């Protein structure tokens, strides 16, 4: 084993997805997983297979799709959880089960109501059972940040003997300071020696997650558990982009330590996760925020022009941020030139169908918008990929919204080659649109979240709408995406996108159950 390599374990699809408003459907998770593979992540925690049939489906499909990264599923220290995890990840060429139990006095007493001996017994059994499915087992001492060192050593001895090769020490509640976490990792990594890899998983409740991750790396941790854009429970997890770029940029401090992350893919990965979840990183977020490489003040601009390193410690290109260029293609440009452009933008796996659809939309856009930018093209391609399921397709929308009248929407939708049209009134234009769609499709969605952002600057900018909708009480919310120069059109598309996503998940799960019967 290379003691200088830091294993990057990404948990965007598990801890990240667990955070409110960040749930993704299976197709979206597969897209993120493929991008994480391109980014060079070593281990992808694809989900918590036992949580629901939908989660099992997502983990197993990712396991069938990704080949270079190891695919992992979380499981409590419970046989059925471990079995579901083992079955789901079993499809992947490289796979891992991650099982855990809490070891802090507060969790053992109030949550688990278990003694130390019982916790050790359960942990050992979990690891032994997991080893009957896979060779690679990671064990987490949940709430390690508030656990006692002597007890953690006992647990570590027992689970390593049972077959765990990675020991994760989560600061579950984001309580530790970097000096304290560093000291804990030093003691426990010296204790483990060559018997196991020490991993850390830091939450950001005090804004210290990445500082703690780096302190851990300096003290012997050789795996870091991170998420894209720092998504995760509550205040989130340590952000992959921050930890990876700190190790790369501060070679003077980290010496020979390195990750094998393909850093120019960082920005594309961040954009994909933000687009899919609808959760944008704050503008001043390090590495991936809109302002991370923007120099507003004249003094800074002047300095950077004279010598880049005066105000920039990293090259934007190193994380995949390139200067925005205006697309040179015009409305008369051909398909081949358009394909060249999207390949240049990093979309090398676009299907012919997606390319053709995006090309048609590009032509329409070029007719209406003065400058079509790289960001516009990126969004057109992403939007096509995110809306590949077209059970219900919007073909027309007419609205009238008067300050003194009744907001009305007439909607035409294609379903199984038939175009249906209906009109409805509402408390506002959006309400009228949603009601018309509900009546046409026969589904009654409950809108949980709605966001609109503009892709570029300017009055003629594309509007990107994200909706989160619940269609039945027994299933989670589904996210829909809509993109149009007209915000209401984008809204209607996003609402239908969420419905399509819900129906496709329902159909796939029903088919699975049918096969199992
Ligand atoms: O924060 C935490 O403790 C976790 C574990 C399940 C690893 O997410
Ligand atoms: Zn966590």
């Amino acid at each position: 084993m290379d003691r200088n390599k830091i294993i990057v374990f990404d948990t965007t699809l598990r801890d990240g997805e667990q955070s409110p408003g960040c749930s993704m459907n299976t197709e979206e998770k597969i897209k993120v997983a493929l991008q994480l593979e391109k980014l060079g992540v070593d281990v992808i925690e694809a989900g918590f297979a036992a949580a629901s049939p939908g989660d099992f489906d997502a983990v197993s499909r990712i396991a069938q799709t990704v080949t270079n990264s190891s695919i992992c599923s979380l499981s409590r220290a419970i046989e059925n959880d471990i079995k579901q995890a083992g079955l789901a990840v079993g499809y992947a060429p490289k796979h891992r089960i991650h099982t855990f139990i809490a070891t802090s006095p507060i969790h053992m007493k109030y949550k688990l109501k278990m003694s130390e001996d019982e916790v050790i017994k359960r942990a050992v059994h979990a690891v032994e059972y997991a080893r009957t499915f896979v060779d690679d087992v990671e064990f987490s001492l949940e709430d390690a940040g508030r656990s006692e060192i002597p007890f953690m050593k006992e647990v570590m001895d027992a689970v390593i003997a049972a077959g765990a090769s990675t020991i994760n020490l989560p600061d579950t509640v984001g309580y530790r300071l970097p000096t304290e976490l560093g000291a804990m990792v030093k003691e426990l990594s010296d204790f483990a020696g060559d018997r196991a890899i020490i991993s850390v998983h830091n939450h950001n409740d005090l804004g210290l997650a990445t500082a703690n991750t780096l302190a851990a790396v300096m003290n012997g941790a050789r795996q870091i558990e991170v998420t894209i854009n720092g998504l995760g429970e509550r205040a989130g997890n340590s952000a992959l982009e921050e930890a990876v770029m700190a190790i790369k940029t501060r070679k003077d401090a980290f010496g020979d330590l390195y990750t094998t992350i393909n850093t120019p893919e960082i920005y594309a990965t961040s954009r994909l996760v933000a687009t899919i979840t609808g959760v944008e990183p704050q503008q001043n977020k390090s590495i991936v925020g809109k302002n991370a490489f923007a120099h507003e003040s004249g003094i800074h601009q002047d300095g950077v022009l004279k010598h880049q390193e005066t105000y920039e410690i990293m090259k934007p290109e190193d994380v995949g941020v390139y200067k925005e260029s205006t697309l040179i293609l015009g409305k008369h440009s051909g398909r081949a030139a358009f394909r060249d452009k999207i390949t240049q933008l990093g979309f090398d796996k676009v299907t012919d169908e997606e390319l053709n659809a995006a090309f048609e939309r590009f032509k329409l856009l070029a007719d209406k918008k003065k400058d079509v930018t790289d960001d516009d093209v990126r969004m057109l391609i992403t939007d096509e990929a995110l809306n590949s399921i077209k059970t219900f397709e919007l073909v027309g929308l007419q609205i009238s919204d008067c300050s003194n009248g009744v907001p009305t929407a007439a909607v035409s939708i294609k379903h199984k080659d038939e175009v249906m049209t209906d009109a409805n009134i509402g408390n506002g234009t959006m309400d009228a649109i949603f009601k018309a769609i509900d009546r046409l499709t026969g589904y009654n969605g409950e809108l949980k979240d709605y966001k609109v952002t503009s892709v570029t600057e300017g009055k003629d900018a594309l509007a990107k709408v994200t909706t989160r909708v619940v269609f039945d009480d027994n299933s989670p919310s589904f996210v829909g995406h809509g993109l149009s120069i007209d915000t209401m059109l984008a809204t209607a598309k996003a609402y239908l996108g969420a419905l399509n996503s819900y129906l496709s998940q329902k159909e796939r799960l029903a088919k699975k159950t049918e096969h199992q019967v």
Side-chain angles (χ1 to χ4, degrees), residues 14-15 18 45 74 98 100 140-143 168 170-173 201 203 225 237:
R14 200 277 298 168
D15 213 315
Q18 238 165 272
E45 188 161 56
L74 184 69
H98 175 192
F100 72 98
S140 277
L141 293 82
E142 192 193 7
D143 205 17
N168 185 37
D171 185 19
T172 304
V173 291
H201 173 113
H203 278 273
E225 298 199 356
N237 288 63

Side-chain angles (χ1 to χ4, degrees), residues 275-507:
T275 303
I276 286 180
T277 58
V279 178
E280 285 288 331
Q282 72 207 46
Q283 293 216 349
N284 60 337
K285 163 88 180 60
S286 42
I287 321 287
V288 294
K290 217 174 167 191
N291 296 350
F293 294 96
H295 300 278
E296 276 297 318
S297 98
I299 298 173
H300 286 209
Q301 284 171 355
D302 181 54
V304 169
L305 285 174
K306 285 179 176 145
H307 185 79
Q308 195 173 16
E309 283 172 28
T310 50
Y311 286 101
E312 278 183 0
I313 58 165
M314 297 164 270
K315 288 202 209 81
E317 311 86 85
D318 285 350
V319 298
V321 172
Y322 300 99
K323 267 208 197 82
E324 188 54 51
S325 72
T326 299
L327 194 70
I328 312 149
L329 304 178
K331 59 182 172 180
H332 301 298
S333 306
R335 210 171 295 258
F338 186 72
R339 184 183 271 285
D340 275 357
K341 185 71 197 180
I342 63 169
T343 311
Q344 204 184 312
L345 291 174
F347 294 96
D348 43 12
K349 286 200 179 124
V350 173
T351 64
D352 282 347
E353 220 176 23
E354 283 165 4
L355 176 95
N356 291 343
F359 181 66
E360 291 312 317
R361 290 175 71 183
F362 156 72
K363 290 225 144 191
L364 291 175
L365 187 63
D367 256 346
K368 290 187 182 146
K369 195 169 183 285
K370 202 166 120 258
D371 297 316
V372 180
T373 66
D374 287 355
D375 265 349
D376 289 326
V377 176
R378 256 187 224 112
M379 273 319 302
L380 285 179
I381 299 285
T382 310
D383 189 64
E384 270 313 313
L386 293 179
N387 281 306
S388 55
I389 311 160
K390 293 188 163 82
T391 313
F392 289 104
E393 196 176 351
L394 186 77
V395 290
L397 171 68
Q398 217 180 319
I399 50 174
S400 71
D401 179 22
C402 332
S403 49
N404 298 318
V406 184
T408 312
V411 177
S412 297
I413 292 173
K414 193 161 135 197
H415 178 56
K416 295 185 177 157
D417 291 331
E418 190 198 333
V419 175
M420 320 170 287
T421 302
D422 200 353
N424 222 306
I425 56 168
N427 290 325
T429 315
M430 267 170 48
D431 189 40
I433 294 174
F434 295 148
K435 281 183 175 145
I437 293 178
D438 283 349
R439 206 156 69 185
L440 275 172
T441 59
Y443 291 90
N444 196 358
E446 195 184 326
L447 189 68
K448 292 288 180 191
D449 197 11
Y450 175 89
K451 281 192 197 100
V452 56
T453 48
S454 72
V455 173
T456 56
E457 292 166 3
K459 287 179 189 153
D460 59 357
L462 277 171
K464 177 170 107 55
V465 171
T466 311
T467 55
R468 185 173 294 282
V469 192
V470 169
F471 292 96
D472 81 52
D473 293 342
N474 301 321
S475 64
S477 58
F478 284 79
V479 175
H481 308 275
L483 182 73
S484 171
I485 216 156
D486 185 291
T487 309
M488 286 303 131
L489 214 49
T491 300
K493 286 181 179 175
Y495 189 74
L496 274 177
L499 176 60
N500 286 336
S501 178
Y502 161 70
L503 292 173
S504 122
Q505 177 98 331
K506 196 169 148 184
E507 192 185 334

Side-chain angles (χ1 to χ4, degrees), residues 78-301:
I78 293 174
E79 278 198 2
N80 186 51
D81 271 32
I82 295 166
K83 182 174 173 190
Q84 299 302 320
L87 295 176
V89 300
Y91 295 100
K94 292 189 250 172
H95 45 232
R96 172 184 290 192
I97 292 178
H98 175 192
T99 185
F100 72 98
I101 194 163
T103 51
S104 63
I106 188 168
H107 275 230
M108 289 190 290
K109 182 169 176 196
Y110 296 105
K111 187 182 82 172
L112 299 175
K113 298 185 179 19
M114 283 167 78
S115 68
E116 290 189 347
D117 282 350
E118 285 168 326
V119 165
I120 293 185
K121 251 193 215 127
R122 178 84 78 81
V124 167
H125 181 65
V127 172
E128 282 173 350
Y129 188 57
R131 282 298 303 264
T132 65
F133 294 93
V134 297
D135 289 337
D136 185 358
V137 175
E138 169 172 336
F139 182 81
S140 277
L141 293 82
E142 192 193 7
D143 205 17
R146 293 187 299 172
S147 300
E148 284 157 6
I149 299 258
F151 180 57
M152 286 201 279
K153 287 182 175 170
E154 267 186 69
V155 176
M156 281 170 62
D157 265 343
V159 294
I160 291 171
S165 45
T166 302
I167 300 293
N168 185 37
L169 304 171
D171 185 19
T172 304
V173 291
Y175 177 70
R176 283 288 156 214
L177 303 177
T179 44
E180 297 166 348
L181 197 107
M184 175 183 91
V185 167
K186 169 102 185 77
E187 180 156 1
L188 295 179
S189 86
D190 285 350
F191 177 72
D194 286 338
R195 297 183 296 154
I197 289 171
I198 296 296
S199 164
V200 283
H201 173 113
N202 293 311
H203 278 273
N204 205 28
D205 300 66
L206 293 173
L208 295 169
T210 299
N212 282 341
T213 297
L214 298 174
V217 164
M218 286 177 158
N219 284 285
R222 289 296 175 267
Q223 175 175 286
I224 55 175
E225 298 199 356
V226 285
T227 58
I228 300 298
N229 299 341
L231 295 182
E233 280 274 14
R234 306 181 310 279
N237 288 63
S238 174
L240 177 147
E241 61 275 10
E242 293 171 6
V244 165
M245 288 314 289
I247 294 168
K248 184 178 165 100
T249 308
R250 292 301 309 275
K251 277 208 158 306
D252 55 326
F254 289 95
D256 292 333
L257 299 179
Y258 68 97
T259 72
T260 46
I261 291 295
N262 180 15
T263 64
E265 286 297 328
I266 284 181
Y267 190 61
T269 315
S270 163
R271 292 313 311 141
L272 182 68
V273 170
T275 303
I276 286 180
T277 58
V279 178
E280 285 288 331
Q282 72 207 46
Q283 293 216 349
N284 60 337
K285 163 88 180 60
S286 42
I287 321 287
V288 294
K290 217 174 167 191
N291 296 350
F293 294 96
H295 300 278
E296 276 297 318
S297 98
I299 298 173
H300 286 209
Q301 284 171 355

